[in-house]
Amino acid sequence: MTKLSEGAIEALSNGTGGNDAVLQLVNIRKIDGGSGLPRFRVMMSDGLHTLSSFMLSTQLNFMAEENRLAPNCVCILKKHVTNILKDKRRVVIILEMEVIKSAEDVAGRIGEPTPYTEGKAAPVCYSISHSALILQNVNHPHQNAGSHISTNMTRFLFLKAPSAMPSTPGDNSKVVPIASLNPYQSKWTIRARVTNKSSIRTWSNSRGDGKLFSMEIVDESGEIRVTGFNQEVDKFFSLVEVGKVYYVSKGSLKIANKQYTSVKNDYEMTLNGESSIIPCEDDCDVPVMQCDFVSIGDLENREKDAIVDVIGVCKSVDEVTRLTTKSNREVSKRTLNLMDMSGKLVTVTLWGEEAEKFEASGQPIVAIKGAKLSDFGGRSLSASFSSTLMINPDIPEAYKLRGWYDKEGHAMDGQSLTEVKGSGGGLTNWKTLSDVKTEHLGHGDKADYYTCIATIVYLRKENCLYQACPSQECNKKVVDQHNGMFRCEKCDKEFPNFKYRLILSANIADYADNQWVTCFQESAEAILGQNAAYLGQLKDSNEAAFDEVFQQANFNTFVFRSRVKLETYNDESRIKATVMDVKPVDHKDYSKRLIMNIRKLAAQ
Amino acid sequence: MEGILDVPKPRITCGMLSQYIGRPVCFVGRVEKVHPTGKTFTVSDGEGKIATVELVCVLDEELSGVVEVVGMVSNKGAIMASTYNVLREDKGIPFDLELYAEALKVIHEFPQHYPFEVAASG
């Protein structure tokens, strides 16, 4: 039976020796270390005592991974260093160790060792693993031992017991995952990175004034929204920086108000007088951002007003423009186009400072967390004040996109989900007239817009013209006073003249169905090929010519952009369709689309 | 020759010439080279392949651009033109030959939806 170095454990624990100690390995445990490297914790015995606060230095990981360090094997501790934690506990880092007897050759536990304690109450196990987690930079090629290594040792970042925490042994370094937070437990500490911090917002209402700020924090298990009011704003706002990791404890939890946030957590946190936020230096475990990216191609399938995360290559960006809002505030706006591997393109709108600061050079990878999906122009995204914009983020999805883009993506034109104002490129949301009925377009709260190709099969020429107020902006129907004057109720004025305006009721049809639509001035003039004033003249003077216009206009095919909405009139609900825009058919575009649809159908 | 006008003439590309030997076809392509004699010229289709067109009467004008030829396919795979007409590039929308070739592919892939054998009425 191999002789173990009795007393070595005590010596190692006190830092008084232990060199070349012959020890038996009692237990070995793998711990997830920082920076992706696993760490191994071992419990060694000298026949008298066992001590579990041994850590294998990473250069010896291979021994554990090759199963050389199995329980019961006997080893010589050739080189080690002892480190003392802030709370006086010791950790022995094994730098070099040789197995002199493998586990199979050893019968069992040598002697009857008992755990060596230094008089500290709590068993050393759990808390140390956390501190061990933070051991970094052990993996230095230790060409010269001794002093070289000891200086490296000082770079180890150990758990700083946050001073605000009650110093119950074993409790002060216990970090729980964000996913486990709930309103029924109050003594917890989490360690998380701030991904988003809002600016201080103030309000003033009948109950008084107040200010708040909010932030989102993330750890390996999830994310949560944190809000601080009034005094907490003063305490914490300047302390917290986006991108840094903090220990947060004793916030109050309540059910999340999902209306304000896209953060995935049933609860949200409010900071109170007892809460503490302490910076944490070791942040390699904590993920930088938790994003659930939606492919741009999928955005079509998402509901409007949904909050999504997206990532894509910024293919193009427009200039910053300034708008004045309804409340007469000036705000900057900028749109950019994002494309991802689905080949689809979407327009993203940035506002305010983000719009102004955006650096567009070189088609960067842009990721947005919490962007709002709107059905403006089909599908488009807006970066609201609660969205986070990241340029060339350091995450795997970004690298994947970059690689794809450099290889194929840059040559693709991308199919835009957002309708571009003006002709041609980007008209989306094609429907057939039967789709309008089967999909119940217009039945929702908001009107639906769609585009279709259809042929005019009937034009109602009776009552297509009305007399309207001659004022520039006003189109209200005027009342004929029969004294040569015409009165406009809206402008509250009388005029000696009027202008003719068109409201054309038409029936349009395609292969699937037909539909009654109303066309106003511009669309009606486009369909009839004459302006309203001339038509009014014709109607009064030359009936035959007037009829001829309608005859000619009949059976022409156009591209219609229509708006449809369910309207209730005296207990009766009917779908009303209005033509917003009429365009001649672009046959090339139409052919391409048909071919694409045919191919799609054939593939099904 | 007059008979050809009453008969259905499938539109084809160069790749299909061999399948239509001895049959009347309609071929649309871009004029490549006109033979000095004026009796024959080459055309390229939307896929870039070349076919030869032989004329009965000599060309009396310089031919260029996209042209639509109606005729029989000879044993050698050339088109014996009965008639042709030029799709003028200066008027209207320029003809997209590649898109045309795409469309032809679809037509020939789904003959059940695009029957050519429709009898001419009365």
Side-chain angles (χ1 to χ4, degrees), chain A residues 165-331:
Chain A
M165 286 303 283
S167 50
T168 43
D171 220 18
N172 48 5
S173 45
K174 198 163 186 171
V175 167
V176 299
I178 285 183
S180 72
L181 290 176
N182 60 70
Y184 314 110
Q185 266 183 330
S186 52
K187 267 210 265 197
W188 45 260
T189 304
I190 53 173
R191 181 177 64 169
R193 191 188 302 270
V194 178
T195 57
N196 195 3
K197 181 174 94 164
S198 77
S199 45
I200 301 183
R201 300 220 294 287
T202 59
W203 74 84
S204 173
N205 59 24
S206 52
R207 287 186 287 168
D209 300 340
K211 58 184 172 186
L212 69 89
F213 85 103
S214 64
M215 60 182 185
E216 285 160 23
I217 58 179
V218 69
D219 74 1
E220 307 87 339
S221 71
E223 46 180 5
I224 191 167
R225 184 177 162 80
V226 180
T227 309
F229 292 90
N230 303 319
Q231 280 161 325
E232 277 66 54
V233 174
D234 297 326
K235 252 206 279 189
F236 298 119
F237 184 77
S238 36
L239 163 71
V240 169
E241 281 176 53
V242 176
K244 292 235 162 65
V245 180
Y246 299 90
Y247 291 106
V248 182
S249 51
K250 293 231 172 140
S252 27
L253 272 316
K254 63 174 203 244
I255 305 275
N257 186 342
K258 291 275 166 91
Q259 191 192 10
Y260 291 128
T261 176
S262 68
V263 171
K264 294 174 194 57
N265 198 315
D266 291 332
Y267 302 110
E268 56 182 345
M269 194 195 305
T270 308
L271 301 168
N272 56 47
E274 303 215 333
S275 314
S276 72
I277 300 184
I278 294 165
C280 164
E281 258 118 59
D282 163 51
D283 58 359
C284 40
D285 283 354
V286 185
V288 177
M289 186 68 75
Q290 274 226 354
C291 280
D292 188 11
F293 293 118
V294 175
S295 144
I296 293 182
D298 268 344
L299 288 178
E300 280 178 305
N301 304 328
R302 295 293 179 112
E303 293 266 316
K304 51 184 149 158
D305 295 337
I307 309 258
V308 291
D309 303 334
V310 284
I311 185 168
V313 180
C314 171
K315 229 182 182 269
S316 64
V317 68
D318 304 318
E319 295 282 313
V320 181
T321 58
R322 290 191 80 77
L323 311 171
T324 322
T325 68
K326 284 185 273 229
S327 40
N328 278 330
R329 259 187 322 134
E330 275 236 325
V331 69

Side-chain angles (χ1 to χ4, degrees), chain A residues 585-589 591-592 595 598-599 602, chain B residues 93-94 96 99 102-103 105-106 109-110 114:
Chain A
V585 179
D586 177 346
H587 292 278
K588 262 204 212 173
D589 185 61
S591 308
K592 285 196 190 123
I595 291 178
I598 290 174
R599 294 261 169 243
Chain B
I93 309 170
D96 186 337
L99 191 56
E102 276 293 311
K105 265 202 274 201
V106 173
E109 221 172 302
F110 302 101
Y114 302 99

Side-chain angles (χ1 to χ4, degrees), chain A residues 23-287:
Chain A
L23 303 168
Q24 180 178 39
L25 192 143
V26 178
N27 199 8
I28 178 165
R29 201 154 64 102
K30 183 171 175 177
I31 299 170
D32 232 317
S35 56
L37 278 176
R39 301 306 306 276
F40 291 91
R41 177 134 177 245
V42 287
M43 186 190 279
M44 305 298 286
S45 146
D46 63 1
L48 277 185
H49 296 111
T50 60
L51 189 63
S52 62
S53 36
F54 283 88
M55 289 294 295
L56 217 57
S57 64
T58 51
Q59 63 248 36
L60 297 184
N61 274 6
F62 71 95
M63 292 180 80
E65 281 157 0
E66 287 172 15
N67 279 324
R68 291 213 228 153
L69 301 174
N72 287 336
C73 69
V74 180
C75 324
I76 289 187
L77 183 63
K78 291 224 144 135
K79 254 201 209 97
H80 73 277
V81 171
T82 310
N83 245 297
I84 307 173
L85 305 180
K86 268 266 159 72
D87 47 9
K88 303 289 184 359
R89 277 171 292 167
R90 278 192 147 81
V91 179
V92 180
I93 316 293
I94 304 173
L95 299 168
E96 200 181 312
M97 189 156 76
E98 199 182 295
V99 180
I100 51 176
K101 242 193 158 103
S102 66
E104 304 88 69
D105 296 348
V106 183
R109 189 79 64 90
I110 300 173
E112 293 200 22
T114 52
Y116 183 82
T117 47
E118 294 170 74
K120 254 249 163 156
V124 205
C125 41
Y126 188 65
S127 326
I128 284 208
S129 59
H130 278 286
S131 6
L133 264 178
I134 310 158
L135 290 173
Q136 287 182 11
N137 298 331
V138 192
N139 201 10
H140 278 280
H142 56 160
Q143 308 102 335
N144 19 10
S147 60
H148 180 61
I149 291 190
S150 12
T151 43
N152 287 336
M153 288 304 195
T154 57
R155 288 215 264 132
F156 284 178
L157 302 165
F158 284 99
L159 225 133
K160 281 209 280 236
S163 42
M165 286 303 283
S167 50
T168 43
D171 220 18
N172 48 5
S173 45
K174 198 163 186 171
V175 167
V176 299
I178 285 183
S180 72
L181 290 176
N182 60 70
Y184 314 110
Q185 266 183 330
S186 52
K187 267 210 265 197
W188 45 260
T189 304
I190 53 173
R191 181 177 64 169
R193 191 188 302 270
V194 178
T195 57
N196 195 3
K197 181 174 94 164
S198 77
S199 45
I200 301 183
R201 300 220 294 287
T202 59
W203 74 84
S204 173
N205 59 24
S206 52
R207 287 186 287 168
D209 300 340
K211 58 184 172 186
L212 69 89
F213 85 103
S214 64
M215 60 182 185
E216 285 160 23
I217 58 179
V218 69
D219 74 1
E220 307 87 339
S221 71
E223 46 180 5
I224 191 167
R225 184 177 162 80
V226 180
T227 309
F229 292 90
N230 303 319
Q231 280 161 325
E232 277 66 54
V233 174
D234 297 326
K235 252 206 279 189
F236 298 119
F237 184 77
S238 36
L239 163 71
V240 169
E241 281 176 53
V242 176
K244 292 235 162 65
V245 180
Y246 299 90
Y247 291 106
V248 182
S249 51
K250 293 231 172 140
S252 27
L253 272 316
K254 63 174 203 244
I255 305 275
N257 186 342
K258 291 275 166 91
Q259 191 192 10
Y260 291 128
T261 176
S262 68
V263 171
K264 294 174 194 57
N265 198 315
D266 291 332
Y267 302 110
E268 56 182 345
M269 194 195 305
T270 308
L271 301 168
N272 56 47
E274 303 215 333
S275 314
S276 72
I277 300 184
I278 294 165
C280 164
E281 258 118 59
D282 163 51
D283 58 359
C284 40
D285 283 354
V286 185

Side-chain angles (χ1 to χ4, degrees), chain A residues 351-380:
Chain A
W351 301 93
E353 256 190 71
E354 262 179 0
E356 288 163 18
K357 284 199 291 194
F358 187 75
E359 260 294 321
S361 54
Q363 295 177 320
I365 307 282
V366 173
I368 311 180
K369 183 169 163 65
K372 187 150 167 195
L373 182 67
S374 109
D375 65 346
F376 178 74
R379 278 289 179 268
S380 56

Side-chain angles (χ1 to χ4, degrees), chain A residues 489-505:
Chain A
E489 294 295 345
K490 190 155 127 180
C491 301
D492 200 21
K493 272 171 53 179
E494 286 196 351
F495 302 92
N497 59 348
F498 58 82
K499 59 183 193 232
Y500 271 119
R501 281 189 69 85
L502 284 161
I503 298 188
L504 186 60
S505 196

